[in-house]
């Protein structure tokens, strides 16, 4: 693997990375798709259904995952993290860290016998901590590749998996590898993470298990989720009065996220709709500042939600306090009543956390980040270019955006990267772009 | 009636069929008893393997098919899962991975047409699933291996529309060595963006961005630009479109052509539709439009502000001190509240860009003229994009005063008092829904985006449009820039309202898709086309008048017993596989590959002879008078 050469390295195997890789591969470029998790699929593979069409998320992610995985022009390396990308002298050097999975992938047949044999259980990261996972396991049902991964934090080294494995694939002595690959171009699709649930201290998420993250609710709503139904975490009660607090980590200068996370209004509406299907008698309230239903079909989706009886309350949620019965009391300033303060009681609260970058441009690409922390977009007509020669980006790596916008942008980044390679092959100097580019995001 | 078993014997290779029933993680199995479907279907002749899986589309599901094909020597496969639209291709590929011809595969939809349609009737849905799967199994008795049709194609694309989307798509494709013909109706390239004096988030002028792209277009020998030109005719298919173009008629001057454009024929492999949008045109009196001269639209205001001199904004010779911005004009309309548009529908969608445009312009106006009083009338502030929220914050800091109205109770624009020409009256929901009156010198209507009236083009290209009248993509997530016509792609605001950045992304994505489709000098088409059995054809010609697709059926002369006879022949590129010709043929010489009459008959047999779990269907079987 060391020193391998690719036309393009795509960093991050979420939906953006998968789409960019497919577009590039279909144009006959040799692509390496690198994903630091044990499976490709990104956030999208763990979602329940997707707005605004409410189609099942795994059902529309898996075909793309498998198309990329089996494409003759794409190699997929999972459990591999990109640490740094260098762009110098016309070459992109991508420095990778291959995490040990303690399983030899060339031998593992994904039979899960090790998983069944393992005596240790820990909170399942794919289920956002709500279900249990064995210390060695195939990460989730539709993970790709279907290879077992051992989590050394929980492994007690009992050796049960070694005995159970029919192909002798378990390797307790596997070590981390560092390697560098070269590429003509790089596409960064490293996506986003949500900021901490406990970030807004006045919301007291640390003090109640019933203040949950929207990703947890996605899993609760997924047809194949951890409990098979929606239960609240503290006591397994079926919730009857659920609050969604929007902008609970965005549009807030005090926590360093002044921007809008763009998809939380819509996924909260979606989640409320799905909840009203799962729990027809539950009261559902969305506390919002503005409802940002701006995409194709989104406003209509929002109006449907209103017609279904979901309550939309324009209010700032000042604080959340745990109260008796594991319930929660919300102090809300009702903006439509001139800021009158009211106390509202709910038995489950979902905080629409803000979306923040995972990739640090200054460390990993030797280029400054934009003011919002995401990669820069310095060229107004080549919007997927990062300002570094041969390095492009798409999806949530360029700021939060929904799946449709991410996929379209991924196609654009693929085009830009392919165009870059074509111009270079033709002896042009694609790196020569207008010198003085205004960077609106930085000013 | 039950002839199923007799039919099986007539099939040359003994069918060994694998049936796979998907739970879809509960989407199906919460309603349909998938285990029972799999169990029951084993009774259908020819079924060797019948299994259930949580996600057939996942890697383990697909791998299972490939493995069984090898292990059990399956020669046909059925998957009962979601809509074929989502996964037919997935499973064809999986079948091929197992070493089988991908067309020896049958897809049964038991989700959209099963569990979702009949969620109140689990037993009925289960019976229906069994019948549908049985029909598919019977259909496969007569399946033949098919090959995709490979046809040479033109490595050249037509881009319709020379606005920013079309320009960007053209330069991207040309850089990849794909020839481009860029057709623009107007005499000048640039579209709407050209007219915008100041853009967010760059603060550039529209002309600066357009000029840069036009320069690239004009310097690229791979791009042919035809301005003042429109599309007159379209025929053909992916890889081989024949396009007729001709001069656009200047508005109002029928018969006068624009700038020397000529009639011309083009051959291209793919088409990118980048025809952009129109601004919503308020009706007479809507928010005072055309009733008061002090009510203007956003594009007019952008010009006004850009042209304002150092000492303030002037309108109609009057100095403007108090200015209001009305959001959602022509957008987010509600039936019963807003008058319907020409087609009887309201514009119930959000136009996406107008909130940010308002605040960007408001901030700019306040920066230039700090004493200007600025009022903003909105439902929600949708400054969602990168840096957009910043305009909102800066507007608030600069003292813009915000009012919030409810969509079902829009503000009224009235004649003003005390020397103000107009005033806005509304219930302000930032203060208990109190009624307020705001006197103004100028009101700017943030008019939304509407689809262009493109009836001719829609007809020529046979493209679907949505309820919002914009062009409709195949699937917003799986194929967001493709239309249902293979090889015709969408770029920019012809598809939906979007910002310039988003338009550029979509243009590049469409270019990328076109580059994928035209990566080689041939294209592959599905084999579901009519086929004429020359031995059976008697040359009666009855099929010709049935075919609606010009050139799909052609006459061909052959020698038969020393005589020349004229027979029918199919041009697979132009045949759409509709099957209209099949029933009129007196000798059954013409049939649809993959959908033969034999297969239809077998499906009916399969439906009727399906083995059903006895308990649940007693009433149904008696009502059909069936005996087992
Ligand atoms: C609760 C919730 C619900 C949502 N619901 C919807 C919905 O219904 N509809 C909709 O349209 N959108 C929805 N979204 C938005 C959707 O999740 C995003 O649009 C989508 O995930 C963006 O894809 P991406 O590939 O850009 O990023 P991601 O999904 O974040 O993928 C990025 C990938 O890159 C990998 N990666 C990161 N850094 C590295 C590195 N250094 N090396 C290697 N790999 C790396 C990550 O592990 C990850 O797999 C929702 C979001 C949330 C939070
Ligand atoms: S999308 Fe909605 S909830 Fe999310 S930050 Fe923006 S306004 Fe707030
Ligand atoms: S972007 Fe703002 S002004 Fe435009 S339609 Fe949407 S909500 Fe209304």
């Amino acid at each position: 693997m060391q020193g391998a050469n690719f036309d393009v390295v795509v960093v991050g195997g979420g939906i953006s990375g998968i789409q960019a890789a497919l577009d590039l591969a279909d144009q006959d470029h040799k692509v390496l798709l690198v994903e630091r998790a044990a499976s490709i699929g990104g956030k999208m593979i763990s979602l329940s259904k997707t707005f605004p069409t409410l189609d099942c998320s795994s059902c529309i992610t898996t075909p793309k995952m498998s198309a990329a995985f089996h494409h003759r022009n794409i190699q997929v390396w999972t459990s591999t993290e990109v640490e740094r990308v260098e762009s110098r002298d016309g070459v992109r050097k991508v420095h990778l860290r291959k995490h040990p999975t303690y399983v030899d992938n060339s031998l593992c047949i994904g039979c899960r016998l090790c998983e069944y044999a393992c005596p240790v259980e820990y909170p399942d990261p794919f289920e956002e901590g709500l279900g249990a996972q064995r210390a060695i396991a195939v990460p989730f049902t539709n993970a790709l590749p279907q290879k077992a991964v051992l989590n050394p934090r929980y492994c007690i080294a009992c050796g049960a998996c070694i005995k159970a494995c029919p192909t002798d694939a378990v390797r307790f002595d596997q070590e981390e590898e560092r390697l560098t690959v070269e590429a003509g171009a790089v596409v960064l699709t490293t996506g986003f993470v949500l900021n901490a649930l406990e970030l807004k201290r006045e919301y007291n998420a640390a003090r109640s298990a019933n203040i949950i993250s929207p990703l947890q609710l996605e899993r609760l709503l997924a047809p194949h989720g951890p409990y098979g139904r929606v239960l609240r975490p503290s006591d397994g009660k079926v919730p009857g009065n659920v609050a969604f607090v929007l902008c609970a980590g965005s549009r807030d200068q005090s926590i360093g996220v002044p921007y809008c996370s763009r998809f939380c209004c819509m996924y909260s509406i979606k989640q409320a709709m799905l909840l009203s299907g799962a729990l027809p008698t539950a009261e559902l309230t969305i506390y919002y500042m503005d409802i940002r239903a701006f995409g194709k079909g989104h406003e209509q989706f929002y109006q449907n939600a209103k017609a279904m009886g979901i309550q939309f309350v324009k209010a700032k949620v000042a604080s959340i306090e745990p109260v008796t019965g594991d319930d929660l009391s919300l102090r809300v300033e009702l903006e439509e009543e001139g800021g009158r303060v009211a106390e509202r009681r709910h038995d489950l609260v979902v905080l629409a956390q803000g979306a923040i970058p995972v990739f640090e441009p200054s460390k990993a690409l030797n280029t400054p980040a934009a003011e919002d922390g995401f990669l820069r977009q310095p060229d107004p007509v080549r919007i997927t270019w990062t300002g570094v020669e041969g390095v492009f980006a798409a999806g949530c790596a360029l700021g939060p955006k929904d799946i449709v916008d991410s996929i379209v942008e991924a196609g654009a980044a693929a085009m830009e990267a392919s165009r870059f390679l074509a111009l270079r092959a033709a002896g042009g100097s694609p790196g020569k772009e207008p010198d003085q580019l205004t960077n609106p995001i930085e000013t | 009636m039950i002839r199923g078993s007799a039919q099986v014997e007539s099939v040359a290779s003994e069918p060994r069929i694998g049936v796979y029933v998907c739970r879809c993680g509960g989407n199906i199995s919460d309603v349909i008893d998938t285990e029972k479907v799999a169990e029951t279907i084993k009774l259908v002749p020819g079924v060797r393997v019948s299994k259930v899986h949580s996600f057939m589309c996942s890697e383990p599901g697909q791998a299972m098919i490939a493995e069984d094909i090898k292990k059990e020597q399956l020669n046909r496969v059925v998957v009962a899962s979601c809509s074929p639209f989502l996964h037919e291709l997935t499973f064809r590929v999986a079948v091929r991975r197992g070493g089988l011809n991908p067309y020896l595969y049958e897809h049964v939809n038991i989700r959209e047409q099963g569990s979702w349609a009949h969620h109140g009737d689990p037993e009925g849905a289960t019976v229906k699933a069994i019948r549908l799967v049985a029909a598919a199994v019977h259909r496969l008795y007569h399946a033949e291996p098919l090959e995709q049709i490979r046809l040479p194609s033109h490595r050249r694309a037509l881009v319709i529309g020379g606005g920013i989307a079309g320009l960007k798509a053209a330069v991207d494709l040309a850089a990849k060595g794909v020839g481009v013909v860029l057709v623009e109706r107007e005499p000048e390239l640039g579209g709407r963006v050209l007219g915008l004096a100041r853009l967010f988030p760059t603060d550039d002028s529209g002309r600066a961005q357009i000029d840069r792209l036009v320069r690239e277009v004009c310097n690229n020998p791979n791009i042919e630009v035809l301005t003042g030109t429109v599309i007159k005719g379209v025929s053909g298919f992916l890889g081989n479109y024949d396009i007729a173009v001709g001069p656009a008629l200047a508005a109002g001057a029928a018969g006068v052509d624009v700038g020397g454009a000529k009639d011309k024929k083009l051959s291209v492999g793919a088409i990118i539709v980048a025809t952009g949008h129109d601004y919503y045109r308020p009706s007479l009196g809507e928010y005072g439009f055309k009733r008061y001269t002090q009510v203007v639209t956003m594009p007019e205001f952008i010009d006004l502000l850009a042209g304002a001199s150092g000492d303030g904004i002037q309108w109609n010779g009057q100095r403007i001190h108090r200015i209001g911005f009305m959001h959602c004009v022509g957008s987010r309309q509600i039936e019963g509240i807003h008058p319907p548009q020409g087609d009887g529908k309201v514009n119930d969608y959000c136009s996406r860009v107008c909130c940010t445009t308002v605040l960007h312009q408001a901030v700019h106006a306040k920066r230039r003229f700090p004493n200007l009083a600025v009022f903003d009338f909105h439902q929600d502030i949708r400054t969602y994009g990168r840096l957009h929220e910043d305009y909102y914050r800066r507007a608030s800091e600069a003292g813009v005063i915000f009012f919030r109205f409810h969509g079902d109770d829009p503000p009224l624009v009235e004649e003003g008092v005390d020397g103000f020409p107009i005033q806005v009256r509304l219930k302000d929901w930032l203060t208990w829904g109190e009624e307020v009156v705001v006197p103004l010198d100028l009101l700017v209507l943030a008019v939304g985006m509407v689809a262009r009236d493109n009836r001719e083009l829609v007809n020529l290209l046979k493209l679907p449009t949505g309820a919002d009248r914009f062009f409709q993509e195949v699937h917003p997530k799986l194929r967001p820039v493709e239309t249902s016509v293979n090889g015709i792609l969408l770029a920019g605001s012809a598809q939906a309202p979007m910002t310039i950045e988003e338009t550029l992304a979509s243009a590049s994505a469409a270019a990328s898709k076109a580059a994928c489709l035209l990566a080689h000098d041939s294209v592959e088409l599905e084999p579901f086309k009519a086929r004429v059995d020359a031995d059976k054809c008697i040359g009666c010609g009855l099929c010709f008048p049935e075919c609606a697709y010009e050139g799909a059926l052609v006459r061909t002369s052959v020698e038969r017993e020393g005589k020349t006879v004229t027979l029918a022949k199919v041009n697979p590129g132009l045949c759409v596989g509709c099957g209209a010709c099949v029933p009129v043929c007196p000798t059954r010489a013409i049939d649809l590959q993959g959908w033969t009459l034999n297969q239809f008959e077998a499906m009916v047999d399969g439906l009727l002879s399906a083995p059903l779990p006895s308990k649940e269907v007693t009433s149904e079987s008696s009502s059909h008078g069936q005996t087992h």
Side-chain angles (χ1 to χ4, degrees):
Chain A
M1 275 198 264
Q2 188 74 37
N5 265 305
F6 296 89
D7 294 335
V8 187
V9 174
V10 177
V11 184
I15 193 61
S16 306
I18 290 172
Q19 184 64 49
L22 282 171
D23 268 27
L24 285 160
D26 281 344
Q27 295 178 54
D28 294 334
H29 296 296
K30 299 278 174 238
V31 180
L32 171 65
L33 176 60
V34 183
E35 167 57 53
R36 67 175 173 183
S39 168
I40 55 173
K43 306 281 182 310
M44 187 175 167
I45 190 63
S46 67
L47 302 179
S48 55
K49 303 200 165 165
T50 61
F51 66 76
T53 40
L54 289 185
D55 33 19
C56 153
S57 193
S58 9
C59 311
I60 51 177
T61 318
T62 45
K64 296 233 182 203
M65 286 164 67
S66 98
F69 200 78
H70 295 291
H71 202 294
R72 66 193 147 81
N73 289 334
I74 302 177
Q75 274 194 43
V76 177
W77 293 358
T78 49
S79 300
T80 307
E81 185 161 352
V82 169
E83 290 198 307
R84 211 154 42 81
V85 177
E86 269 178 289
S87 176
R88 217 185 297 146
D89 310 325
V91 187
R92 262 46 62 190
K93 283 200 169 131
V94 182
H95 303 283
L96 305 167
R97 188 144 65 117
K98 193 136 188 32
H99 298 294
T101 61
Y102 305 100
V103 171
D104 182 338
N105 272 8
S106 66
L107 295 176
C108 175
I109 52 169
C111 66
R112 297 192 169 202
L113 290 177
C114 55
E115 182 176 334
Y116 305 144
C118 176
V120 186
E121 287 189 334
Y122 72 100
D124 186 351
F126 182 73
E127 301 292 358
E128 296 292 323
L130 294 174
Q133 176 67 291
R134 301 286 167 92
I136 187 165
V138 174
F140 51 92
T141 331
N142 33 21
L144 203 58
Q146 284 278 309
K147 303 284 176 190
V149 177
L150 181 146
N151 186 336
R153 254 182 75 196
Y154 296 95
C155 171
I156 54 168
C158 69
C161 50
I162 298 185
K163 284 195 212 98
C165 178
T167 64
D168 284 330
V170 183
R171 292 279 177 280
F172 277 7
D173 59 352
Q174 205 177 62
E175 281 179 17
E176 179 182 292
E177 275 178 75
R178 282 169 186 274
L179 41 128
T180 301
V181 294
E182 286 190 4
V186 170
V187 177
L188 298 169
T189 47
T190 46
F192 69 101
V193 285
L194 296 180
N195 53 19
L197 197 63
E198 300 79 19
L199 188 66
K200 282 177 85 96
R201 303 184 60 191
E202 60 276 28
Y203 288 173
N204 282 308
R207 286 174 50 209
S208 168
N210 293 336
I211 301 180
I212 63 168
S213 109
L215 282 170
Q216 287 180 314
L217 185 54
E218 288 292 333
R219 293 313 303 156
L220 289 172
L221 287 165
H224 51 301
Y227 311 145
R229 49 200 270 201
V230 183
L231 304 172
R232 70 175 191 176
S234 84
D235 51 8
K237 196 185 103 172
V238 175
N241 191 349
V242 184
F244 293 85
V245 180
L246 299 195
C247 305
S250 313
R251 302 182 65 189
D252 185 345
Q253 297 240 315
S254 73
I255 54 168
V257 185
Y259 56 85
C260 163
S261 292
R262 194 159 157 164
F263 42 54
C264 11
C265 279
M266 285 303 294
Y267 72 60
S268 301
I269 297 174
K270 166 194 80 178
Q271 293 181 337
M273 276 193 177
L274 294 174
L275 264 184
S276 88
L279 313 170
T281 56
E283 279 184 50
L284 305 165
T285 311
I286 295 182
Y287 296 102
Y288 71 96
M289 302 217 278
D290 299 278
I291 291 291
R292 296 191 163 164
F294 53 83
K296 190 165 182 167
H298 293 188
E299 178 69 18
Q300 297 88 326
F301 192 76
Y302 167 40
Q303 296 304 334
N304 287 346
K306 281 210 252 182
M308 284 168 73
I310 293 160
Q311 293 297 311
F312 287 84
V313 179
K314 185 164 165 74
K316 273 206 192 87
V317 176
S319 64
I320 304 175
E321 288 290 335
V323 291
T324 51
D326 289 352
D327 286 355
L328 298 147
S329 173
L330 274 62
R331 217 178 136 76
V332 296
E333 292 167 23
L334 300 168
E335 295 206 1
E336 297 214 321
E337 297 179 23
R340 183 175 72 83
V341 176
E343 299 277 339
R344 300 279 197 102
R345 198 172 159 130
H346 295 275
D347 56 9
L348 183 69
V349 174
V350 192
L351 298 183
Q353 295 153 272
I356 55 172
V358 258
F359 189 85
E360 286 183 64
S362 56
K363 275 200 205 143
L365 190 59
N366 197 22
T367 186
E371 201 185 49
D372 58 10
F374 292 91
L375 285 152
R376 299 188 308 140
Q377 296 173 273
D379 186 337
V381 302
R382 296 192 311 151
I383 57 137
T384 57
W385 184 48
T386 61
V388 176
E389 188 189 74
V391 182
F392 306 88
C396 295
L398 293 177
K401 56 184 65 73
D402 69 11
I403 295 165
V404 174
D405 290 350
S406 293
I407 290 178
V408 170
E409 205 165 74
M415 183 72 240
E416 217 67 75
S418 174
R419 180 183 152 164
F420 173 82
L421 295 175
L423 287 172
R424 204 180 54 158
S429 51
K432 250 233 202 96
E433 292 296 335
D435 297 329
Q436 297 296 305
L437 292 170
T438 49
N439 181 4
I441 308 291
E442 271 183 329
T443 50
Chain B
M1 189 196 262
I2 302 168
R3 299 181 311 179
S5 48
Q7 295 259 320
V8 179
E9 280 147 31
S10 71
V11 176
S13 72
E14 186 211 352
R16 301 177 62 89
I17 302 178
V19 175
Y20 300 88
V21 185
C22 184
R23 295 192 191 99
C24 195
N27 277 311
I28 292 170
S29 56
D30 285 352
V31 177
I32 290 176
D33 185 341
T34 42
E35 269 67 14
K36 185 170 280 168
V37 176
E39 205 44 48
T40 314
I41 222 69
K42 282 187 182 149
L43 302 173
V44 180
V47 174
R48 288 299 149 126
V49 174
S50 180
K51 294 181 177 171
V52 180
H53 195 278
S54 285
F55 283 108
M56 277 309 300
C57 58
S58 68
E59 186 50 29
Q62 294 189 42
M64 181 164 81
I65 299 178
E67 231 168 73
D68 285 353
I69 291 175
K70 291 188 183 122
K71 217 167 58 202
E72 305 285 337
Q73 285 157 1
L74 301 181
N75 54 19
R76 315 268 198 278
V77 171
V78 177
V79 175
S81 58
C82 51
S83 153
F85 179 70
L86 281 175
H87 277 315
E88 184 169 51
L89 194 64
T90 314
F91 294 122
R92 278 201 207 292
V93 174
V95 164
R96 190 171 54 203
R97 261 204 279 151
L100 204 59
N101 180 284
Y103 296 95
L104 296 172
Y105 168 74
E106 198 49 38
H107 195 99
V108 183
N109 181 354
I110 57 166
R111 194 180 73 177
E112 284 82 347
Q113 294 171 3
S115 57
W116 286 357
H118 310 291
H119 53 82
D121 179 14
E123 279 172 14
T126 304
V127 168
K128 179 172 173 183
I130 294 170
R131 285 194 193 276
L132 291 174
V133 177
V137 169
H138 278 245
R139 194 166 122 72
L140 279 179
Y141 295 157
H142 301 276
E144 284 168 37
L146 300 174
E147 294 301 329
Q148 290 203 324
I149 299 163
R150 186 186 284 268
L151 294 169
S153 76
H154 302 291
R155 252 195 120 229
R156 192 165 183 228
L158 167 70
V159 176
I160 308 176
I164 195 157
L167 292 168
K168 176 65 177 165
V171 296
D172 280 359
L173 268 177
K176 287 276 303 178
V178 177
V180 177
V181 186
L182 179 60
V183 170
E184 165 60 54
R185 178 168 60 188
E186 302 294 322
E188 190 186 7
L189 294 172
R192 295 254 170 254
V193 171
L194 200 58
L196 297 172
R198 194 183 183 90
L199 310 175
F200 69 81
T202 51
D203 282 334
D204 279 355
S205 74
R207 181 166 286 279
Q209 292 194 5
I210 294 294
D211 280 352
R212 182 172 152 201
L213 284 169
V214 168
R215 248 194 329 271
E216 281 189 57
V217 163
C218 295
N219 289 337
N220 196 318
N222 282 340
I223 307 176
E224 181 184 354
V225 178
L226 303 174
T227 48
T229 302
V230 291
I231 310 298
K232 295 265 160 95
V234 177
S235 63
F237 48 93
L238 169 64
N240 294 276
Y241 281 107
D242 292 315
I243 312 288
V245 298
L249 298 181
V256 181
D257 77 16
V258 183
K262 287 188 205 66
D263 283 328
K264 211 171 162 164
K265 298 255 182 278
L266 310 166
S267 299
V268 297
I271 301 173
I272 295 181
V273 180
T275 47
H277 65 279
D278 261 331
Y279 294 120
Y280 173 74
R281 183 155 175 87
S283 55
L284 181 72
E286 185 176 358
Y287 293 113
F289 185 69
K290 294 281 172 208
R291 180 162 303 150
Y292 307 106
T293 51
Q294 293 81 2
V295 177
V296 299
T297 65
M298 179 58 88
E300 290 170 323
F301 175 74
I302 294 176
D303 275 352
L304 189 64
L305 180 60
S309 61
D311 43 311
I313 306 174
Q314 306 275 342
W315 177 244
N316 270 352
Q318 294 291 312
R319 178 77 172 273
I320 305 299
H321 301 280
R322 292 167 67 88
I323 182 167
F325 290 95
M326 185 65 67
H327 289 240
C328 303
V329 177
S331 310
R332 300 182 69 182
Q333 294 179 326
I334 302 172
E335 231 170 282
I337 306 279
H338 298 89
Q341 303 298 307
D343 61 355
K345 284 180 275 196
V346 294
N347 296 343
D348 57 1
Y349 56 87
C350 164
S351 287
R352 192 167 178 152
V353 299
C354 17
C355 274
T356 306
T357 307
V358 165
L359 295 173
H360 177 240
Q361 292 296 326
V363 165
H364 183 49
K366 276 297 253 185
R367 195 167 43 205
R368 286 196 60 197
F369 308 112
N371 293 329
L372 195 69
V374 179
F375 304 89
D376 175 290
F377 308 98
H378 66 269
Q379 307 185 61
D380 295 280
I381 298 281
R382 294 185 167 167
T383 41
Y384 63 88
R386 262 188 124 173
L387 210 77
H388 299 185
E389 190 75 0
D390 224 39
Y391 298 130
Y392 189 10
R393 182 180 54 78
R394 274 149 65 185
S396 312
E397 284 168 6
V400 172
I401 296 170
F402 291 90
F403 297 92
R404 178 166 198 261
F405 65 90
H406 283 179
D408 53 10
D409 186 13
L412 297 174
V413 178
E414 308 169 339
E415 189 159 338
V417 290
D418 301 334
F420 289 104
I422 49 172
Q423 60 186 29
V424 171
R425 181 187 296 276
L426 80 160
K427 278 210 187 88
D428 173 31
W429 284 100
L430 295 177
T431 49
W432 291 277
E434 191 179 30
E435 182 160 292
V436 292
V437 172
V438 186
L440 295 173
D441 300 316
L442 188 71
L443 177 67
V444 181
L445 304 184
V447 287
M449 290 189 181
V450 295
R452 273 187 201 275
D453 184 0
N454 257 328
R455 255 165 283 182
E456 267 165 53
L457 197 62
V458 171
N459 288 340
L460 284 173
L461 298 173
K462 303 187 180 68
L463 288 186
T465 52
D468 56 9
R469 296 173 225 100
F470 288 92
F471 287 119
Q472 188 72 33
E473 63 286 338
V474 179
H475 187 284
K477 299 184 184 77
L478 292 172
R479 294 161 70 189
V481 297
E482 292 168 71
T483 69
S484 56
V485 186
N486 213 354
I488 304 190
L489 309 163
L490 300 174
S493 60
Q495 186 182 9
M498 48 181 91
T499 65
I500 292 172
E501 259 181 36
E502 290 156 356
T503 294
L504 289 164
S506 119
S508 291
S512 175
K513 196 78 231 170
C516 294
L517 292 173
L518 306 179
H520 309 281
D521 39 24
S522 66
V523 290
E524 284 179 346
L525 305 178
E526 287 287 21
F528 307 116
K529 311 284 182 185
R531 185 175 48 186
V532 179
D533 183 341
D535 293 337
K536 287 191 192 162
C537 178
I538 51 169
C540 65
L542 283 176
C543 48
F544 282 88
E546 299 303 319
C547 181
Y549 298 88
E550 214 183 302
L553 274 176
V554 288
R555 288 189 167 79
T556 169
S557 301
V558 294
E559 293 294 315
R560 191 180 273 172
E561 290 156 9
K563 273 186 276 171
T564 306
V565 288
T566 307
L567 304 181
K569 204 180 145 203
V570 176
N571 176 347
L574 293 171
C575 170
V576 300
C578 69
C581 51
V582 176
V584 298
C585 179
T587 61
R588 276 205 176 192
I590 198 160
D591 218 338
L592 213 57
Q593 292 196 79
W595 291 95
T596 62
L597 286 175
N598 279 346
Q599 286 183 301
F600 278 108
E601 283 164 9
M603 280 173 83
V604 175
D605 287 341
L607 280 173
L608 295 176
S609 67
L612 301 177
S614 48
K615 187 165 60 78
E616 284 84 350
V617 290
T618 39
S619 62
E620 203 187 336
S621 45
S622 59
S623 74
H624 283 279
Q626 267 184 359
T627 48
H628 286 267

